[in-house]
Amino acid sequence: MSKIKVKNPIVDINGDEMARVIWKRIKEELILPNVEIDLLEYDLGLKNRNFTNDYITIEAAQAIKKNKVGVKCATITPDDKRVKEFKLKKKFSSPNGTIRNILSGTIFREPIICKNIPKMIPHWDRPVIIARHAFGDIYKSKDLIITEPGELSLNFKSKQTKKNFKFKIYNFESPGIAMGMYNIDKSISDFATSCFNYALSKKISVFLSTKNTILQNYDEKFKQIFDNIFEKQFKREFKSQKISYQHRLIDDMVACLLKWRGDYLWACKNYDGDVMSDLVAQGYGSLGLMTSVLQSPDGKIIETEAAHGTVTNHFRQHQNGDETSTNPIASIFAWSKALWFRGNIDKNKKLQFFTKQLEKACIELVETGYVTKDLALIIGPEQKWLTTNEFLKKLKEKLKVLLN
Ligand code: NAP
Ligand code: MG
């Protein structure tokens, strides 16, 4: 097959450690031999973030905004240990957070389903896509320790009228704890729009979960904003695609998660999304099979990545010259999803066909028993596993067969 020509570029964001090692191989062995594309490369490896005072991260985000499609390798979010290890000028913040803020996007986490990977819930044979509203609530809260008796109240001072509104919360007679938190309509609206657009692109239904029976103002607001946006902008198109939107109480939704097969988008408030995305990832088998897509509210800009990190443990082995068995599938799907989206914008059907063959090659390999160690361990003690090198070699062969 001759190389598929792609008119417009995508932004290729490099990262750290084992994820970086695999990144190079995916690009050189699976993508570039088959696709002729201009990759706008941004090196977000920690060394370069330090060298550029993290300016490279902002540049990468702006490049994604301009070119509409980015694909990102996992990166180290430095903690105190990393500051020492890399002799950093400062503890730079998470690149994912920086990029998310610039794109004001929502993160969708989607598992890759392979028939022979046992799931915690055996009938989960279709993906559950979790969307997390990554703004506000407890993550921007003020929490306090109350040590002595006194009155706790909530104050709001209007900028316009200068009026002070005071709401009594509790009269403490003994020590305790307290918290104040907030969210803003604009962020919730962007989240709702993102979710509806993503669901439309996947042709799946949307469920928003809240506890609006208890938080009759706070959580009810989430419901109202979703309801309004759905009625005004999405209802008709959802109907024509035969998909739906519903609000459900979080406790009811958790029960449904266990009962249902999948194939829906679950819009979660910030904390619920934090907890549920890890629960669902584990439930589907392995972090090595979980992808993550950051999408702008209007659905026109995306950045894809694997949900896992830089796999430091395996990188230490690799540095010692030992073979590793690192699962490259989630990183490969980051590439296939980004290229698919490029193909969708450019109306490049050949490119979209290639991405589907690449995904099929991964899934068929796994389903015929060629797996890395992380998957072998969940399949069972009899299952043999391949090293990273062996797996990539098999994959290249399989892809070649599928493309010819
Ligand atoms: P991690 O890199 O996801 O790895 C945690 C463990 O999960 C690994 O030690 C490995 O288990 C297993 N694992 C993850 N991905 C795997 C794969 N593709 N194939 C096989 N096994 C896999 O998380 P971490 O060790 O907590 O974090 C390492 C670094 O990644 C940190 O510096 C963190 O800041 C960064 N991080 C980045 C992102 C991101 O860029 N999106 C996300 C999370 C973490 P075994 O060791 O048992 O084999
Ligand atoms: Mg979490």
Side-chain angles (χ1 to χ4, degrees):
M1 212 181 94
S2 60
K3 277 199 196 184
I4 298 157
K5 289 198 170 54
V6 184
K7 207 169 64 198
N8 293 303
I10 69 171
V11 178
D12 163 15
I13 300 181
N14 215 332
D16 291 297
E17 300 191 318
M18 200 60 206
R20 186 181 179 104
V21 174
I22 290 179
W23 201 250
K24 182 169 188 289
R25 302 206 42 193
I26 295 173
K27 223 162 51 174
E28 289 177 0
E29 295 173 35
L30 299 170
I31 309 296
L32 294 179
N34 296 300
V35 181
E36 200 179 305
I37 185 169
D38 185 14
L39 298 175
L40 309 174
E41 293 181 22
Y42 289 80
D43 182 2
L44 262 58
L46 190 48
K47 230 168 116 185
N48 197 39
R49 275 180 278 153
N50 190 48
F51 179 70
T52 61
N53 293 312
D54 209 21
Y55 199 70
I56 189 75
T57 308
I58 296 169
E59 283 186 337
Q62 281 161 349
I64 297 174
K65 227 176 173 170
K66 181 168 168 228
N67 295 283
K68 313 293 179 210
V69 190
V71 57
K72 179 179 169 291
C73 176
T75 45
I76 293 170
T77 299
D79 52 15
D80 293 328
K81 246 173 88 187
R82 298 292 201 171
V83 171
K84 267 199 199 133
E85 183 189 339
F86 286 83
K87 300 191 178 65
L88 299 181
K89 295 178 200 160
K90 61 181 255 206
K91 195 155 79 185
F92 298 106
S93 47
S94 146
N96 288 21
T98 306
I99 296 172
R100 188 171 61 221
N101 287 340
I102 292 175
L103 300 182
S104 76
T106 297
I107 291 178
F108 299 89
R109 270 187 161 206
E110 182 174 344
I112 299 157
I113 309 278
C114 302
K115 288 196 197 87
N116 57 332
I117 304 300
K119 286 123 199 120
M120 297 256 169
I121 310 294
H123 57 262
W124 279 5
D125 57 359
R126 301 291 309 152
V128 174
I129 298 178
I130 301 245
R132 172 178 173 191
H133 178 223
F135 178 82
D137 298 355
I138 63 165
Y139 303 87
K140 294 271 182 196
S141 67
K142 259 274 161 289
D143 62 328
L144 309 172
I145 292 188
I146 309 284
T147 53
E148 56 198 305
E151 191 187 282
L152 179 76
S153 63
L154 194 61
N155 269 311
F156 175 76
K157 190 174 171 193
S158 163
K159 211 170 166 180
Q160 274 167 354
T161 63
K162 306 285 180 233
K163 252 187 173 167
N164 224 340
F165 300 88
K166 187 173 167 186
F167 308 90
K168 188 181 151 195
I169 296 180
Y170 191 65
N171 225 336
F172 280 92
E173 301 287 354
S174 62
I177 42 183
M179 179 178 77
M181 67 180 200
Y182 70 92
N183 222 300
I184 50 178
D185 290 7
K186 167 79 168 72
S187 173
I188 303 168
S189 312
D190 280 354
F191 176 54
T193 315
S194 263
C195 289
F196 291 133
N197 274 321
Y198 197 84
L200 263 183
S201 74
K202 290 257 155 192
K203 297 194 180 39
I204 52 173
S205 294
V206 175
F207 296 90
L208 163 71
S209 60
T210 73
K211 192 72 184 176
N212 68 336
T213 45
I214 302 297
L215 293 174
Q216 294 182 5
N217 296 310
Y218 200 107
D219 276 17
E220 179 62 23
K221 189 71 178 217
F222 279 80
K223 178 174 181 294
Q224 278 172 7
I225 289 176
F226 267 72
D227 285 355
N228 280 339
I229 291 180
F230 182 69
E231 285 292 324
K232 287 202 185 111
Q233 297 174 40
F234 291 95
K235 196 174 178 178
R236 200 176 312 150
E237 217 173 331
F238 265 53
K239 202 172 166 199
S240 76
Q241 299 285 354
K242 298 193 174 59
I243 53 177
S244 61
Y245 157 67
Q246 252 182 36
H247 167 266
R248 282 183 183 250
L249 285 170
I250 178 78
D251 26 3
D252 178 28
M253 193 60 211
V254 172
C256 292
L257 171 72
L258 297 184
K259 241 176 358 202
W260 294 343
R261 290 176 62 187
D263 252 348
Y264 57 90
L265 188 154
W266 180 2
C268 291
K269 289 181 60 202
N270 207 348
Y271 175 77
D272 299 338
D274 184 351
V275 176
M276 286 305 159
S277 55
D278 287 339
L279 181 140
V280 168
Q282 195 56 50
Y284 275 97
S286 165
L287 256 184
L289 291 179
M290 186 61 81
T291 61
S292 174
V293 176
L294 171 67
Q295 188 205 259
S296 64
D298 62 8
K300 292 188 175 149
I301 303 173
I302 67 156
E303 181 214 51
T304 59
E305 67 171 337
H308 62 73
T310 60
V311 212
T312 312
N313 280 352
H314 297 205
F315 186 58
R316 297 291 176 242
Q317 273 172 265
H318 174 82
Q319 280 176 313
N320 283 334
D322 297 333
E323 290 270 1
T324 69
S325 181
T326 317
N327 189 344
I329 294 181
S331 300
I332 295 171
F333 271 62
W335 278 93
S336 66
K337 279 168 182 255
L339 291 171
W340 187 91
F341 198 80
R342 179 78 272 164
N344 202 36
I345 301 175
D346 298 355
K347 304 205 170 25
N348 187 338
K349 289 268 181 285
K350 275 190 186 157
L351 180 62
Q352 288 185 305
F353 175 79
F354 166 75
T355 66
K356 289 298 150 198
Q357 300 316 302
L358 181 57
E359 293 183 355
K360 196 171 161 194
C362 293
I363 291 171
E364 282 187 4
L365 264 197
V366 171
E367 291 184 346
T368 46
Y370 296 102
V371 295
T372 42
K373 191 175 174 186
D374 55 320
L375 300 184
L377 290 176
I378 30 183
I379 294 173
E382 299 295 304
Q383 177 65 52
K384 291 197 173 62
W385 48 269
L386 305 179
T387 61
T388 313
N389 282 320
E390 289 165 340
F391 185 85
L392 284 170
K393 185 162 172 269
K394 275 268 168 213
L395 187 60
K396 244 185 341 193
E397 289 164 13
K398 181 100 199 165
L399 181 63
K400 209 168 167 189
V401 172
L402 290 178
L403 289 177
N404 281 314

